[in-house]
Amino acid sequence: IQIADVEELVVNGATAIVLSRGFQNKLRVEPAVLEYLADKNVSIYIAETREAVTIYSKLAETTPVGGLFHSTC
């Protein structure tokens, strides 16, 4: 996951972002992404895909949230 992947979510008002690492936790999140989101005061949640969906659903009840979910690995 790179900055370009999350930038649109931030621009459109997400104050929290959920990133999935795939079903087997094989995907990486670039350190620059974490720095970018921290600089924008965006809360970051990183988890395996099923857990990430659960986190997203809970946050969506009260928080402007965006997410990137990988379902093939």
Side-chain angles (χ1 to χ4, degrees), residues 1-68:
I1 297 172
Q2 301 175 359
I3 291 174
D5 298 325
V6 297
E7 192 170 36
E8 183 177 354
L9 300 172
V10 173
V11 168
N12 284 294
T15 60
I17 294 184
V18 180
L19 305 172
S20 80
R21 295 193 62 224
F23 285 104
Q24 298 173 2
N25 280 317
K26 293 191 176 201
L27 297 173
R28 294 183 1 207
V29 178
E30 292 291 326
V33 171
L34 302 177
E35 291 175 29
Y36 170 80
L37 294 173
D39 288 345
K40 301 290 184 183
N41 294 316
V42 173
S43 299
I44 308 160
Y45 301 84
I46 302 170
E48 176 273 329
T49 297
R50 287 170 289 245
E51 182 182 354
V53 169
T54 300
I55 293 167
Y56 177 91
S57 296
K58 179 83 171 160
L59 286 169
E61 294 174 7
T62 60
T63 306
V65 62
L68 295 173

